[in-house]
Amino acid sequence: FSSRELTAHYLQRIEKADTKLNSFISVTAEQALQQAEIADNARANGTAGTLAGIPLALKDIFCTRDVKTSCGSKMLDNFIAPYDATVVEKLSAAGTISLGKTNMDEFAMGSSNENSYYGPVKNPWDLTAVPGGSSGGSAAAVAAGLVPAAMGTDTGGSIRQPAAFCGITGLKPTYGRVSRFGIIAYASSLDQAGPMARSAEDCAHLLGVIAGHDGRDSTSVARGVPDYVESLDAPLSGLKIGLPKEYFGDGLAPEVEKAVRDAVKVYESLGATVRDVSLPHTHYAIPAYYVIAPAEASSNLSRYDGVRFGHRCDNPSDLIDLYTRSRAEGFGEEVKRRILIGTHTLSEGFFDAYYTKAQQVRRLIRQDFLDAFEDVDVLMGPASPTPAFDLGAKKDPVSMYLQDIYTIAVNLAGIPGISVPAGFVGNRPVGLQILGTHFAEAQLLNVAHQFQ
Ligand code: GLN
């Protein structure tokens, strides 16, 4: 069948099912069908790449020329970027077709997708459950078969946790593996884009397209991009798996623990050996992250001043009124909370006590992982302490932050991680998280693929 037929099929699925899920903020049907025709012609001429004609969706944090990029916020409800993000450019150059922009927590702050200006996304497995966040729209859309794959970003778990909650595969690459150019900044030293799809194989194809150095992002790393697909079938005999004891402690739902331990047994049957390891500074990860991420966010979000772009209040009486009212009206509650925290921790007199201390802790957390990878090849554990929780269940922010216990240290350390489906608790999926050392994406995809 043609790409046009494929694209039309998914557009119909979106039209039918997304009224229930709310996973898309913008659907770009017309552009998609046009691109599909171009891909079909390229196929007919024999000039098409492997992914030509494959429909995708983009989290609404990736800047797209001609299509609104809201970042889940009222602040950017009227924003159309004048350029494409590098990830978007690379995906179009590979011939993939964007069906639209997916829902997300406002400015990627959240773990349930309930912080979106466009309303919460529902989990397709159970409409009373959250899809996870902040890339909840991408995860739900893939899980519901509205699109074969989607792009997400992960600053503190936002690819892996929603992938786990929705029963799909999601990969956060090493910091620097994928260009951040044109991705709306949340916490610049943590943000990283990655693929969310039905399988590790699909993620491998997509990572191969989006990875690589970009002169427009000085933190992207000049290092060759391996063929992630070629190594998917490498045998796992002799693979050394570490189970961090801190990832199996208090707060972990027993059914989630069982699903993860069952998955580890599958790896043993494939020839892997398993041992317990320790990441002793794990319990500092949430406090360190919730100092560093809001600090960087408060700085990044200072550009939304009602002057250059984004929401502007009506009839400002003077410049200060313009700033304060535009920001008060444009930002939601959680974003304001983060800006307040970040501004406080960066202020004179508090900087050393909070920000400098958190950076020191970050170093220790990174060292924990490097020490562990001296002894083992990969680490395995749960992606989240529980399966998807009910919509509205976590009202106080700290209980929401505690959700991120198994995902956030990975961003602080800059290492890659993948979440793969590992069964269900009732009707809600469980994710197995696999972690590797810096630039070990090929190995993570190989290990994930062997389980699927
Ligand atoms: N829950 C984290 C936060 O709210 C996740 C952020 C992310 O990865 N974008 O900061």
Side-chain angles (χ1 to χ4, degrees):
F1 47 83
S2 69
S3 172
R4 207 186 148 87
E5 285 166 306
L6 189 67
T7 303
H9 162 81
Y10 282 110
L11 287 169
Q12 260 162 29
R13 292 274 308 143
I14 295 170
E15 199 173 303
K16 214 168 109 198
D18 208 40
T19 44
K20 286 203 194 101
L21 297 176
N22 196 29
S23 65
F24 278 83
I25 292 174
S26 308
V27 178
T28 48
E30 219 172 286
Q31 289 102 309
L33 290 167
Q34 274 166 14
Q35 284 176 317
E37 220 156 279
I38 297 173
D40 283 331
N41 289 337
R43 276 193 186 285
N45 301 336
T47 54
T50 334
L51 296 187
I54 304 290
L56 298 175
L58 303 165
K59 184 179 182 178
D60 208 16
I61 197 169
F62 291 92
C63 284
T64 44
R65 195 187 331 181
D66 303 333
V67 179
K68 174 170 97 171
T69 301
S70 73
C71 217
S73 182
K74 179 179 177 186
M75 183 58 89
L76 292 177
D77 185 46
N78 62 2
F79 176 61
I80 297 180
Y83 56 85
D84 282 334
T86 298
V87 165
V88 175
E89 227 172 46
K90 287 185 163 197
L91 287 167
S92 347
T96 67
I97 290 160
S98 171
L99 301 189
K101 311 289 292 286
T102 55
N103 204 341
M104 57 180 285
D105 283 301
E106 184 177 5
F107 285 102
M109 297 172 189
S111 307
S112 69
N113 218 121
E114 293 168 294
N115 295 339
S116 169
Y117 173 60
Y118 302 90
V121 177
K122 312 266 169 66
N123 189 315
W125 293 97
D126 179 342
L127 297 176
T128 64
V130 302
S134 63
S135 314
S138 290
V142 173
L146 308 190
V147 69
M151 288 294 137
T153 59
D154 190 314
T155 302
S158 284
I159 287 176
R160 291 160 289 149
Q161 185 255 22
F165 279 13
C166 291
I168 64 163
T169 303
L171 171 74
K172 181 205 95 77
T174 306
Y175 183 78
R177 181 72 290 190
V178 175
S179 168
R180 291 182 297 107
F181 178 79
I183 299 173
I184 294 180
Y186 164 14
S188 311
S189 76
L190 302 161
D191 298 344
Q192 189 61 198
M196 305 172 79
R198 300 184 82 84
S199 65
E201 186 175 356
D202 289 353
C203 288
H205 280 286
L206 290 164
L207 182 64
V209 170
I210 64 173
H213 179 249
D214 178 9
R216 297 176 295 186
D217 171 7
S218 61
T219 62
S220 73
V221 174
R223 182 177 170 126
V225 178
D227 184 336
Y228 296 111
V229 178
E230 188 183 78
S231 48
L232 287 171
D233 287 321
L236 297 187
S237 58
L239 180 81
K240 285 181 267 173
I241 298 172
L243 303 180
K245 70 173 187 332
E246 293 78 7
Y247 284 38
F248 293 88
D250 282 351
L252 176 59
E255 305 94 321
V256 173
E257 172 162 4
K258 184 176 182 313
V260 170
R261 292 203 187 271
D262 287 348
V264 171
K265 281 191 200 127
V266 172
Y267 282 105
E268 283 183 296
S269 75
L270 294 172
T273 58
V274 179
R275 72 176 79 163
D276 291 326
V277 298
S278 176
L279 302 168
H281 298 94
T282 298
H283 60 293
Y284 294 121
I286 289 184
Y289 173 91
Y290 280 100
V291 170
I292 292 168
E296 295 184 14
S298 74
S299 168
N300 277 326
L301 272 57
S302 65
R303 72 191 61 164
Y304 305 106
D305 55 7
V307 177
R308 287 162 293 182
F309 49 80
H311 177 74
R312 178 182 297 176
C313 68
D314 287 334
N315 307 317
S317 58
D318 58 23
L319 191 62
I320 298 297
D321 184 44
L322 168 70
Y323 289 163
T324 48
R325 242 173 349 107
S326 299
R327 288 169 69 82
E329 291 168 7
F331 290 139
E333 196 185 329
E334 183 61 26
V335 174
K336 286 177 186 160
R337 181 178 296 118
R338 305 281 178 106
I339 293 173
L340 286 171
I341 296 170
T343 307
H344 178 72
T345 56
L346 291 179
S347 58
E348 197 178 344
F350 296 101
F351 185 90
D352 283 340
Y354 291 111
Y355 191 72
T356 309
K357 186 60 85 188
Q359 293 289 21
Q360 289 164 342
V361 171
R362 178 177 192 171
R363 193 75 191 180
L364 295 173
I365 288 168
R366 181 174 187 273
Q367 197 56 47
D368 280 355
F369 283 109
L370 297 182
D371 292 345
F373 290 125
E374 293 279 313
D375 299 327
V376 297
D377 301 311
V378 293
L379 297 169
M380 287 189 187
S384 161
T386 64
F389 44 89
D390 289 344
L391 284 150
K394 296 202 189 290
K395 294 255 183 322
D396 86 287
V398 174
S399 74
M400 191 69 86
Y401 301 166
L402 292 174
Q403 266 304 303
D404 302 335
I405 173 95
Y406 303 133
T407 41
I408 249 166
V410 168
N411 302 75
L412 291 168
I415 59 171
I418 190 168
S419 176
V420 292
F424 287 85
V425 175
N427 58 355
R428 301 189 185 184
V430 174
L432 165 74
Q433 185 176 217
I434 312 169
L435 307 177
T437 196
H438 297 98
F439 297 99
E441 286 83 1
Q443 182 170 43
L444 291 187
L445 288 161
N446 164 228
V447 172
H449 180 67
Q450 294 304 304
F451 183 62
Q452 297 173 333

